[in-house]
């Protein structure tokens, strides 16, 4: 089973169907309904579609297990990818085309300017397994942006977080990156000032995770963030 977000006129859709995939297309543009209805008439056993916003999808709308394949709208690509891996446990992989800058955030490594809260949160859910660049000259008319195709696969169960731990992880990661120019200790103290975590609790958590509080969040590896989230989740 494949879920395709934003099928448009169905070029990729028909290629997927021809390969033998069962496709659920999700399209928000009502003007494309006749095109999708025509595809459904020709591939009635393999194809169905939903006219809705991808961010409004619910788990019961989708197959129990599926792969996501999409040429995502660039303004929403980052949001859709993280949302899908976060909300749909049945999502196994995502093969998507995104703007090069979005791909940079997804594949960023610690110490780079692209590395941030989004990078870490997505990396706790999925791992990039492959990518390639797509020149603007591949499109007609050529857009003013470069594109990248990425394949992400959901992390193994032993590397996954429970729903409760994931909610905690989001708070911790957002707090760590809340003030990028400050140390992680000060950034978290400011962001969590009105929470249950006192400055002393934050210092203790950093020490327990073996993280020097004078470092900045962008210097921490994914493994270090896993340790920090684990401490806060205890």
């Amino acid at each position: 089973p494949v879920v395709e977000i934003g099928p448009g006129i169905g070029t990729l859709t028909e290629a997927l169907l021809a390969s033998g995939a069962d496709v659920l297309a999700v399209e928000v543009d009502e003007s494309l309904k006749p095109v999708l209805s025509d595809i459904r008439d020709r591939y009635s056993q393999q194809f169905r579609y939903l006219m809705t916003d991808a961010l409004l999808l619910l788990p019961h709308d989708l197959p129990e297990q599926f792969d996501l394949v999409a040429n995502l709208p660039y303004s929403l690509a980052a949001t859709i990818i993280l949302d899908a891996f976060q909300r749909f446990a049945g999502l196994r992989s995502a093969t998507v085309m995104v703007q090069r800058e979005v791909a940079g955030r997804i594949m960023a490594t610690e110490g780079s300017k692209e590395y941030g809260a989004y990078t870490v949160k997505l990396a706790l859910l999925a791992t990039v397994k492959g990518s390639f660049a797509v020149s603007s000259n591949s499109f007609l008319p050529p857009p003013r942006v470069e594109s990248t195709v990425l394949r992400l696969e959901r992390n193994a169960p032993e590397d996954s977080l429970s729903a409760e731990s994931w909610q905690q992880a989001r708070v911790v990661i957002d707090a760590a990156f809340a003030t990028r120019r400050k140390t992680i200790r000060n950034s978290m103290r400011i962001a969590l000032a009105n929470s249950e975590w006192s400055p002393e609790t934050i210092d203790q958590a950093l020490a327990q995770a073996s993280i020097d509080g004078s470092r900045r969040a962008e210097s921490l590896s994914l493994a270090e963030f896993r340790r920090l989230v684990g401490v806060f989740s205890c």
Side-chain angles (χ1 to χ4, degrees), residues 78-205:
T79 301
I80 289 173
I81 294 168
L82 180 59
D83 177 75
F85 275 107
Q86 176 182 316
R87 292 200 297 125
F88 305 127
L91 173 57
R92 298 176 298 198
S93 74
T95 303
V96 293
M97 183 158 66
V98 299
Q99 188 172 333
R100 182 174 61 185
E101 287 74 14
V102 172
R105 290 174 62 195
I106 291 173
M107 296 189 292
T109 55
E110 64 266 26
S112 65
K113 64 179 182 179
E114 294 88 359
Y115 186 76
Y118 179 86
T119 310
V120 175
K121 284 188 280 190
L122 183 56
L124 289 176
L125 298 170
T127 301
V128 177
K129 294 295 187 178
S131 68
F132 62 85
V134 183
S135 168
S136 59
N137 294 325
S138 299
F139 303 88
L140 190 65
R144 295 181 178 179
V145 297
E146 299 293 315
S147 304
T148 301
V149 170
L150 294 172
R151 178 177 174 83
L152 299 102
E153 294 183 4
R154 182 176 292 280
N155 292 338
E158 59 268 24
D159 294 326
S160 299
L161 300 174
S162 66
E164 183 177 346
S165 295
W166 170 244
Q167 295 305 319
Q168 200 80 280
R170 293 174 61 188
V171 173
V172 171
I173 294 164
D174 285 338
F177 284 97
T179 313
R180 288 183 69 104
R181 291 183 178 274
K182 294 186 179 297
T183 65
I184 188 171
R185 175 190 293 114
N186 289 339
S187 180
M188 294 187 73
R189 284 182 172 186
I190 293 169
L192 300 174
N194 297 318
S195 73
E196 60 186 290
W197 294 306
S198 67
E200 293 74 24
T201 302
I202 293 170
D203 288 348
Q204 290 170 5

